[in-house]
Amino acid sequence: MSVLSQLNPPPIWIYFEEICNIPRLSKNEEKIRQYLLDFAGKNNLESKEDEVGNILITKPPAPGMENRKTIVLQSHMDMVGEKNADYPHNWMSDPIIPVIIDGWVTATGTTLGADDGIGIAAQLAILKDKSIKAGKIECLFTVDEESGMTGAINLKSDFFTGKTLINLDSEDEGILFIGCAGGLDTVGTMSFKPMPVKADSCTLDISVTGLHGGHSGDEIHKGYGNSVKIMNRLLFNISNQFDISLASFDGGNLRNAIPREAFSTIVTGEKNYEQIEKWIDGFYLTLKDEFGDLEKDLKISVKEGGRPAFVMDKETQAKFINAISCCPHGVIAWSKEMDDLVETSTNLASAKFTDDHTIKIVTTQRSSVESAKYDVAAMVESCLRLAGAEVVHSDGYPGWKPNLTSEILNITKHSYLKLFQKEPMVRAIHAGLECGLVFEKNKGIDMISIGPTIRGAHTPEEMIEIKTARMFWDLLVDVVMSMPEKL
């Protein structure tokens, strides 16, 4: 039974609900790609797919509109898959279950995938709607945006023909985005020696849960707790007071999400259990005081666990804990050109034991200044190398420099004022958008990014505001129909 078809505008919500039924995590977009190609076939629209899986569906101009400029609408197919630890969900097969709560659409126990499922839905609704009088429309759907932007990285410059593009991957209605940060990943790997567990010891399982998490670009400045940092702070302190050995560490999941949960297992002498438990209770109260209402659902628990197969050697344990303590997380610098815009940041995204007695530490750096992006990556690298880690950097992606004289910006501002009787804000965004990579391959292309209001992206609290979806749709249709004639 449809949950969302009652909402306005129906075409967007009907397609979005269909998309919720399709598994589409990054690098596993086969089913959503086939869905898009099938859509094109059913609607007699030209489509093509490139070698990495990007898809272009083209709608010919309406009668009498052949001389209008071509508009490219762009979204990404993949989504971030995060779920609550106690919620059973198979990301390779299970549908997302949308629900309506107080004017918002959210999901049950998982990320909703409005980032960027709502963009895909808007494109399909535009392609299907025969009442829209516009020139040629090219709908570009890219793969793997969330885990490396490899779709945009490998996009050929001649895959589409339009010279004006609207990116549909923003999350704030009423704001027109004309620039974004560039980014790269810095990943450290440490090996350790597995050591035997002493016979007269006890095992403690420790968890940090209930944190807000969030998008590491959009929400890095909000001061939310980082579960990896909190767990490491706990281990740093108790290792200075008690003889403990670390048997496991599992914190965070995704490179572009602030980590929400972390779990560790330690081994210690039986006489230390009650003292450690008491210290952790006090530490929890300290954190509750530090965060206040910002992290009101924070939980830290400790319980006796089963005997692990091994613990890590003490020398590497100390290096690992020191490396995470040293590794920066959060805002590094604010923009000097635009008010309230983060210029440079770094996200300590995850730290995990792997099956081959290694620890993998994943971080992401973002900046609207290319040199600053590499400088903070070097800062992170230094922390990891001092601990003996092997460090690699991803190729990264460029930022998108704002253009205040943009034609599509002026068209969109005019449409917004006409529709809603108020001026939109014009801003750059600290999150990464594919626009920088598109511009790198198509010099001179005119771009803007818009979207409805989405909150909690990359977390199970992700939600989209229903009334802003209607505004997003009305604005998009008006801009598409307002494209001027070719010169």
Side-chain angles (χ1 to χ4, degrees), residues 7-9 13 101-106 112 114 118 171-173 451-455 462-472:
L7 302 178
N8 284 316
W13 291 112
I101 302 175
D102 297 330
W104 297 75
V105 174
T106 186
L112 175 63
I118 199 67
E171 299 174 359
D172 294 280
E173 193 287 318
T453 296
I454 297 172
R455 293 292 175 261
E462 181 184 8
M463 62 179 80
I464 177 171
E465 191 175 20
I466 295 166
K467 69 178 182 181
T468 66
R470 175 85 224 193
M471 297 171 74
F472 165 60

Side-chain angles (χ1 to χ4, degrees), residues 143-198:
V143 297
D144 197 32
E145 189 268 352
E146 299 288 6
S147 69
M149 297 196 181
T150 57
I153 288 170
N154 290 286
L155 188 68
K156 298 291 191 297
S157 61
D158 60 353
F159 191 61
F160 58 85
T161 64
K163 301 300 181 186
T164 305
L165 182 145
I166 304 178
N167 171 276
L168 308 176
D169 193 22
S170 295
E171 299 174 359
D172 294 280
E173 193 287 318
I175 303 178
L176 314 181
F177 290 100
I178 60 170
C180 71
L184 80 162
D185 298 340
T186 302
V187 179
T189 305
M190 301 176 66
S191 298
F192 65 87
K193 297 176 184 177
M195 305 299 288
V197 179
K198 295 178 181 179

